Each structure stands twice: as structure tokens, then as C-alpha cells.
Amino acid sequence: MPNNSAVPRVPALGIIGCGRMAEAMLARLLADGLLPEQVWVSARSPQRQQYLANTYGVNVTTNLEVATAETLLLAVKPQSFADIELELADTPVAQSSGVVLSIMVGISSGRLRQLFPRRLIFRAMPNTPAQVGAGVIALASDGAASELDIQRMRNLLGVLGQVVAVSEGQMDAVTALSGSGPAFVALIVEALCDAGVAVGLSRSLTQELVYGTIAGTVQLLNERGLHPAQLKDAVTSPAGTTIAGLEVLEAAGVRGTLMQTVKAAYERAQSLN
């Protein structure tokens, strides 16, 4: 329980369900100047609670007290949200003003607004690279939010990487593409690394080459504003090594497989609503 003499009556930030992604945001916000005494968090296990208190010096308390925060981050698994609803419904804290920022998959702003009718509701979808400040974070804003409210949310999420505005109706697609995308990219990276070993390179050298090639390719596309097909064609010379490899990729249906992969993830995201 927090020491009320040592912390503000209303914490600046509350986090319900401080898992890995929420912890990444917490760590980067504290490094950016947020004071530990301004933050109240909750976690399910006593071990996790002790870890958060010892590592970050934040106040670890109940969901009910965390929900008094001016800005409330909901970061529990979507299947656990029903328990939060039962716990907070019909309590004074559910009627308080402020902001709710949800990073839960599949929980609509309408459902959140039923629980918090007087708060502005924002939904965000950060991806795994956000843990090192290199994420892409999709942000869907409450229609009643002012430009200042939206900018505050962008600043809050900006510690995790690039913030992109989307409509709530696009959230399932964002989840499938950029939320699940790091896993798809990691699989491709792993396959390329195995291929390098297969043609005689050491594992360490292969990883250095593959990581650098992917990072450099993305940087080139971004900085030059190139369509991927333009870069592909620029690398591909007549009867060369690149066209030989591309022929195998096309014959294997890699392009279509990746499209179907994202579609499958999208359909799964929709089923969680």
C-alpha cells in the first residue's frame, strides 16, 4: 500500500497490469523525468509487485487505488479485463475524470467508456521494438479529445518510438501488421541467418550481415522515399545472383504467403473483439 504522506493524492500515472510492454514505457518515462512517487502500479503476483517496487521505486498497490490516476494505462491481457470490470464497476473511481489509455488487444473504446463514462478514452498498439524505443505505436484518439489531449498522449507514447495516428476501426489491422509483424520479421531474419551458415559463413558473421542488411535497407527506403519495387529492381541485374534468388522466392509463393499471414492475424484479432 502506498504511503499517503509520500505521494500525491492523485497519482499522475497509474498502470493496471504492469507487464513487459507497460514496464518498458514505465522505464523510459522515468528516465525522461517522471518521478517514481507520481506512479502507482498493480501486478498480479507478489513477486512481480516486489520487483516493480524494488527496481523502479514506484508505488505498488491495488487496482482500485491505481485507477484514481489522472492518466490510467490499462495493460492487462484482454481475457483478464472482465475481472477488472467487475472490480471497478459501480465504484466512485469509475466515475472520476481523466484519461484512460488502453494497450489491450480487442477491447473497444465503447466497452471502456461503459466502465469509465467520464474519462477520455485512447487506444494504442505498441509493438515489441518499443522496448528499446524503436517501436511503431498506433494511436486511436477519443472523438471528444482536444488537440492538446492528443498531443499529450503522443508525448507519453513517444518515449517508445514513432507514434502513428489511426482510427479505431483500423486497430485490428494494425495489430496484425505491426503488432504481430516483429515475429514475422524475426522468422525471416532467422531463416536468412540459417542460410548464411548453410553457405559457409559463421553464425556471428551471418547475423552481423543480415541485421545490417535489413536495417540499412529500411533506412534507404525511408530516407530516399523509394517504393520497395524500385529498390528491388535497382539491385537486380540481368542474369545475376539476385534474380536467381527472386525466382525461387516467387516460385515458393513467399509474397502471397506473407499476405495470407497478415490476413490470418487480422482475422484472429477480430475474433478477440
Side-chain angles (χ1 to χ4, degrees):
M1 297 290 289
N3 179 350
N4 289 331
S5 64
V7 298
R9 185 179 65 83
V10 178
L13 177 65
I15 305 175
I16 293 182
C18 196
R20 185 174 298 176
M21 186 60 69
E23 183 185 351
M25 182 183 295
L26 171 62
R28 299 188 74 84
L29 285 170
L30 291 173
D32 201 44
L34 183 66
L35 299 177
E37 57 264 29
Q38 294 178 291
V39 183
W40 291 4
V41 304
S42 66
R44 297 188 70 172
S45 72
Q47 294 82 0
R48 182 67 175 168
Q49 294 169 8
Q50 195 64 49
Y51 164 79
L52 292 168
N54 292 344
T55 303
Y56 300 105
V58 296
N59 305 279
V60 181
T61 183
T62 64
N63 291 335
L64 192 61
E65 288 192 288
V66 171
T68 65
E70 295 171 355
T71 298
L72 176 61
L73 175 63
L74 295 175
V76 299
K77 298 290 186 183
Q79 55 268 33
S80 300
F81 182 61
D83 294 334
I84 303 298
E85 289 177 302
L86 288 173
E87 184 177 358
L88 300 184
D90 301 321
T91 65
V93 72
Q95 299 297 321
S96 63
S97 59
V99 172
V100 168
L101 172 62
S102 168
I103 60 172
M104 299 182 293
V105 176
I107 305 298
S108 70
S109 61
R111 183 171 169 185
L112 294 169
R113 191 167 285 107
Q114 287 182 334
L115 182 59
F116 300 104
R118 298 184 59 199
R119 288 181 177 248
L120 291 175
I121 306 295
F122 292 84
R123 289 185 61 195
M125 176 51 60
N127 61 5
T128 306
Q131 294 179 28
V132 293
V136 177
I137 306 94
L139 175 65
S141 302
D142 192 308
S146 67
E147 288 299 322
L148 181 58
D149 294 323
I150 295 171
Q151 189 57 51
R152 285 172 176 162
M153 283 299 101
R154 293 182 71 92
N155 291 342
L156 185 70
L157 292 165
V159 298
L160 299 177
Q162 177 186 359
V163 181
V164 179
V166 300
S167 68
E168 182 168 7
Q170 295 174 311
M171 270 297 182
D172 289 338
V174 167
T175 299
L177 185 60
S178 67
S180 299
F184 308 150
V185 172
L187 182 66
I188 294 169
V189 170
E190 182 185 28
L192 288 173
C193 288
D194 287 345
V197 174
V199 296
L201 301 176
S202 69
R203 178 69 64 178
S204 60
L205 176 58
T206 295
Q207 289 180 340
E208 186 175 356
L209 290 170
V210 171
Y211 294 178
T213 297
I214 291 175
T217 299
V218 171
Q219 183 176 345
L220 179 59
L221 289 169
N222 271 330
E223 291 190 5
R224 296 287 175 83
L226 296 173
H227 188 283
Q230 290 177 284
L231 180 54
K232 181 199 68 175
D233 290 349
V235 178
T236 306
S237 56
T241 58
T242 305
I243 193 62
L246 287 171
E247 186 177 6
V248 174
L249 289 173
E250 294 291 4
V254 169
R255 185 193 305 263
T257 298
L258 288 172
M259 293 176 67
Q260 290 303 316
T261 297
V262 174
K263 287 181 179 179
Y266 171 66
E267 290 168 0
R268 176 58 178 159
Q270 287 189 310
S271 74
L272 294 173
N273 291 336

